């Protein structure tokens, strides 16, 4: 609205004719001509600029952590409930740590509630009361609440820990009075690498928690057993997989892929070993060589053949028929599985009579191992002793005959030659 309209005139000329002017009008109102709307616009622009500048400043000081998200491990707090603890070697992140904590605490609360309900409560009637778990502001005094020593309580709280690490933890708790610091002190101890080989990275941090290590190792051992392989033979390979950040799932997939490829070629591989090395290897033995390349063929063959020799002895003579040391001795002399089968089967039928005759004629007993050495490995000394016993037995049972041909084809008389 124009200044003369605000004064009630119908035109600017009429206002001037009555002695009014725009200058007087503006002066009486302390307003600078034609600036009100411009000032308002300028003020709004300044506000917008300041507002945008604050947002930019705020964003400029917030560090970009997208490349290094926080990692956590889950531990039990002093009140027994699970909490997160920031750890560069942890496997949980902000995205999943709380969900896992809630699951563990819910499981813990349910167990405590069940124990409380089964033990009876102070209330009467069905339904029971509502269980309220302890919170962090409740004083926790292990000795008064449990009556256990610090070490006994540590064993209950960390049943998966090795006894040696329990001792380190307890000492750390005594030194610091803080369970979290005691855990950190335990994990920094060199004993961790002894108990859990491969758990520590080259920079000294842990690649997984103790529980995760145990689960991974047991999973890999179980996978090996699924292929009839003894996990103890492949202990170093499991450690190598863990230290190489091979997950249990990847370990399983490698075994499956390798076995499929090996099985397709097993008949040809068996033929080569039999032809070139006189080794009767089964599928498990051949696959074991694939799983553990570090084991030389000779070493693995020794272990396999020793097991095969023991198995043949037990089949023919019963359990515990042959010690590992005796099997190793026969294997080192070159006894094959086929020879072990033939020799021990012969010992089971012939040796009882020979041993009885040897005792009757004042000779020492003949063992199953000696019999196999004589008949299958060509031990001349033992073979001669056996032939003498056979000669005496034949002479004693052939009173009417002057001579007799033995099983071995040798013709003997009544006197020992």
């Amino acid at each position: 609205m124009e200044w003369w309209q605000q004064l009630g005139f119908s035109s600017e000329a009429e206002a001037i004719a009555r002695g009014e002017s725009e200058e007087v009008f503006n002066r009486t109102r302390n307003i600078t001509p034609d600036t009100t709307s411009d000032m308002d616009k300028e003020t709004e622009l300044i506000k917008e600029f300041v507002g945008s500048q604050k947002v930019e400043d705020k964003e400029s000081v917030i560090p970009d952590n997208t490349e290094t998200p926080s990692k956590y491990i889950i531990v039990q707090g002093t009140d027994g409930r699970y909490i997160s603890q920031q750890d560069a070697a942890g496997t949980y992140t902000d995205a999943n740590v709380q969900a896992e904590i809630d699951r563990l605490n819910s499981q813990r609360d349910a167990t405590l509630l069940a124990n409380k309900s089964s033990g009876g409560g102070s209330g009467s009637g069905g339904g029971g009361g509502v269980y309220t778990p302890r919170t962090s502001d409740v004083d926790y005094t292990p000795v008064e609440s449990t009556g256990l020593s610090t070490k006994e309580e540590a064993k209950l709280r960390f049943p998966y820990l090795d006894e040696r690490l329990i001792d380190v933890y307890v000492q750390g708790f005594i030194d610091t009075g803080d369970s979290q610091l005691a855990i950190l002190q335990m994990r920094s101890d060199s004993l961790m690498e002894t108990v859990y080989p491969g758990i520590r990275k080259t920079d000294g941090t842990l690649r997984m928690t103790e529980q995760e290590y145990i689960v991974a190792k047991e999973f890999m051992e179980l996978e090996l057993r699924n292929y009839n392989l003894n996990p103890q033979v492949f202990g170093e390979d499991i450690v190598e997989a863990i230290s190489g950040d091979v997950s249990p799932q990847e370990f399983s997939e490698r075994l499956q892929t390798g076995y499929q490829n090996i099985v397709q070629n097993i008949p040809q591989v068996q033929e080569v070993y039999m032809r070139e090395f006189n080794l009767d290897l089964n599928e498990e033995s051949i696959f074991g060589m694939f799983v553990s390349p570090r084991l030389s063929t000779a070493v693995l063959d020794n272990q396999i053949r020793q097991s095969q020799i023991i198995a043949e002895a037990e089949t023919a003579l019963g359990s515990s028929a042959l010690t590992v040391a005796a099997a190793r001795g026969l294997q080192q002399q070159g006894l094959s599985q086929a020879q072990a089968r033939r020799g021990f089967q012969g010992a089971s039928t012939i040796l009882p009579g020979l041993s009885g005759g040897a005792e009757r004629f004042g000779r020492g007993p003949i063992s199953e191992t000696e019999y196999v050495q004589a008949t299958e490995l060509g031990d001349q000394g033992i073979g001669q002793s056996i032939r003498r016993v056979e000669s005496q037995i034949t002479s004693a049972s052939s009173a009417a005959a002057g001579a007799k041909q033995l099983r071995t084809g040798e013709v003997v008389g009544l006197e020992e030659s």
Side-chain angles (χ1 to χ4, degrees):
M1 180 181 291
E2 296 293 336
W3 65 272
W4 46 269
Q5 289 177 322
Q6 295 183 48
L7 293 176
F9 297 104
S10 59
S11 67
E12 184 178 6
E14 182 182 357
I16 294 173
R18 294 293 182 92
E20 298 292 339
S21 69
E22 183 177 0
E23 180 180 359
V24 174
F25 174 82
N26 289 330
R27 189 169 58 251
T28 58
R29 288 162 175 76
N30 294 324
I31 299 176
T32 302
D34 301 323
T35 60
T36 304
S37 59
D38 292 338
M39 290 178 62
D40 292 340
K41 292 180 180 179
E42 184 177 357
T43 301
E44 291 300 320
L45 290 174
I46 291 173
K47 290 181 177 178
E48 291 178 3
F49 173 78
V50 172
S52 63
Q53 188 66 28
K54 289 181 178 179
V55 173
E56 292 175 357
D57 291 342
K58 182 178 181 181
E59 292 178 349
S60 66
V61 298
I62 296 177
D64 183 7
N65 292 329
T66 55
E67 296 184 358
T68 56
S70 297
K71 292 186 177 181
Y72 305 88
I73 60 174
I74 297 177
V75 298
Q76 283 186 298
T78 55
D79 62 336
R81 294 182 64 77
Y82 293 93
I83 59 175
S84 63
Q85 176 181 313
Q86 196 162 358
D87 193 318
T91 56
Y92 297 98
T93 64
D94 290 320
N96 58 17
V97 65
Q98 191 57 49
E100 182 64 8
I101 289 175
D102 293 340
R103 185 188 71 79
L104 291 173
N105 283 329
S106 296
Q107 185 178 29
R108 173 183 177 276
D109 294 345
T111 302
L112 292 176
L113 178 58
N115 293 338
K116 181 178 180 181
S117 300
S118 62
S122 57
S124 59
V130 178
Y131 172 74
T132 303
R134 292 183 298 175
T135 57
S136 58
D137 57 354
V138 177
D139 292 336
Y140 180 69
T141 52
V143 176
E144 295 178 3
S145 61
T146 64
L148 301 175
S149 66
T150 304
K151 184 172 183 177
E152 290 171 336
E153 186 176 351
K155 287 182 178 181
L156 291 176
R157 181 171 294 183
F158 310 112
Y160 51 86
L161 283 182
D162 184 273
E163 181 82 13
R164 294 166 291 178
L165 288 175
I166 288 289
D167 292 336
V168 176
Y169 168 82
V170 170
Q171 187 58 50
F173 185 80
I174 293 174
D175 294 340
T176 65
D178 187 295
S179 60
Q180 301 304 319
L181 291 177
I183 284 287
L184 294 177
Q185 183 171 319
M186 179 196 74
R187 287 177 172 166
S188 64
D189 195 281
S190 59
L191 191 59
M192 280 289 293
E193 184 65 27
T194 302
V195 178
Y196 306 114
I199 195 174
R200 199 182 302 279
K201 299 180 181 178
T202 55
D203 61 2
T205 60
L206 302 184
R207 53 175 35 96
M208 63 184 69
T209 65
E210 299 84 1
Q211 288 174 293
E212 290 168 340
Y213 183 97
I214 294 172
V215 171
K217 185 172 182 289
E218 289 181 349
F219 181 91
M220 293 179 182
E221 290 177 346
L222 180 60
E223 286 297 299
L224 290 170
R225 290 191 182 96
N226 289 338
Y227 293 94
N228 295 324
L229 298 177
N230 183 0
Q232 295 179 352
V233 177
F234 304 95
E236 292 185 17
D237 301 279
I238 292 177
V239 171
E240 184 177 279
I242 292 176
S243 60
D245 293 321
V246 176
S247 67
Q249 183 62 33
E250 183 180 354
F251 185 83
S252 176
E253 292 172 355
R254 289 184 182 184
L255 289 179
Q256 183 177 1
T257 301
Y259 186 75
Q260 290 173 350
N261 294 334
I262 292 295
V263 166
Q264 295 173 357
N265 301 311
I266 276 182
Q268 292 86 347
V269 175
Q270 286 176 318
E271 181 181 351
V272 170
Y273 274 102
M274 178 60 72
R275 182 179 67 250
E276 300 296 333
F277 306 105
N278 193 31
L279 299 178
D280 184 15
L281 301 181
N282 53 25
E283 293 184 4
E284 290 77 9
S285 304
I286 296 173
F287 183 55
M289 295 179 186
F290 164 79
V291 174
S292 182
R294 67 160 43 87
L295 295 178
S296 66
T297 302
V299 173
L300 187 58
D301 171 47
N302 290 347
Q303 295 174 342
I304 293 169
R305 230 184 319 167
Q306 289 170 23
S307 300
Q308 292 171 335
I309 292 172
I310 292 175
E312 295 297 340
E314 292 181 347
T315 299
L317 304 171
S319 60
S320 303
L322 196 66
T323 64
V324 174
R328 184 182 301 112
L330 292 173
Q331 170 265 314
Q332 291 174 347
Q333 295 177 61
L335 186 69
S336 68
Q337 183 177 9
Q339 291 173 315
R341 182 184 302 116
R342 186 171 53 245
F344 285 116
Q345 287 178 352
S348 67
T349 57
I350 298 175
L351 195 56
L354 284 176
S355 297
E359 292 179 2
R360 188 166 64 252
F361 297 121
R363 297 182 179 273
I366 302 172
S367 68
E368 293 85 354
T369 301
E370 290 175 328
Y371 182 85
V372 172
Q373 288 175 312
T375 58
E376 301 299 331
L377 296 176
D379 189 307
Q380 295 298 322
I382 300 176
Q384 185 177 13
S385 297
I386 291 177
R387 286 193 294 273
R388 287 175 177 173
V389 171
E390 289 178 327
S391 177
Q392 287 181 312
I393 292 175
T394 301
S395 298
S397 61
S398 304
K404 182 177 180 63
Q405 187 175 15
L406 298 180
R407 178 180 61 82
T408 58
E410 180 183 2
V411 178
V412 296
L414 297 179
E415 295 181 359
E416 179 179 331
S417 58

